[in-house]
Amino acid sequence: MKILGLTGGIAMGKSATAGLFAEAGIPVYDADAAVHALYQAGGAAVAPVEAAFPGVTGQDGAIDRAKLRACVAQDADALKTLESVVHPLVGGVQMSALQAAQESGAPCFVLDVPLLFETGGNARCDYIATVTVAPEIQRERVLDRATMTEAEFEAILAKQMPDAEKRARSDFIINTGFGFQFARDQVRAIIDLMIRLGDGEQG
């Protein structure tokens, strides 16, 4: 089974593309969803994060992510503390998902990680697919969201590896700017290749 890293900048269409892999029966590990689950009431991260940052748990028993962001936003040491708590938990969830995918006999396992290159996660992958779109479409998508300002968008871009660099370091490029069916066809072609590569391994 091949491990396919899936990444892409904000508003590139990565989540929708991950959904296309899942739709085709490919197991997908969603890093953002894994963290979200760990922060929910009863999640494995709630107690240790609250211990490290007292007061960040809301009345509903879940981590209040706005309060947590405020604690680490301008404090590199606090961010390292948070990562030391959360990363091992996330790693455990990821390994469980990988094991389940292997047992299912799937031709590939998709690691959907926004900051795949930035965190070194690409080293765990056999192949990398970057989801991309033209900059003007990306900006239009972001600013159509009522929850984000242009300044916030620029701040996020500054923290992400440039799209051109991601594309240069990837094995596959999935362009979501030409419609849903075009993206689905690209995903299907990648899956077909993973199946052929898997058959070659077995042979």
Side-chain angles (χ1 to χ4, degrees), residues 94-104:
Q94 187 181 120
M95 289 306 298
S96 296
L98 176 59
Q99 183 177 352
Q102 289 173 328
E103 292 172 355
S104 76

Side-chain angles (χ1 to χ4, degrees), residues 31-51:
D32 284 345
V35 173
H36 185 74
L38 289 169
Y39 284 170
Q40 288 300 296
V46 175
V49 169
E50 173 64 27

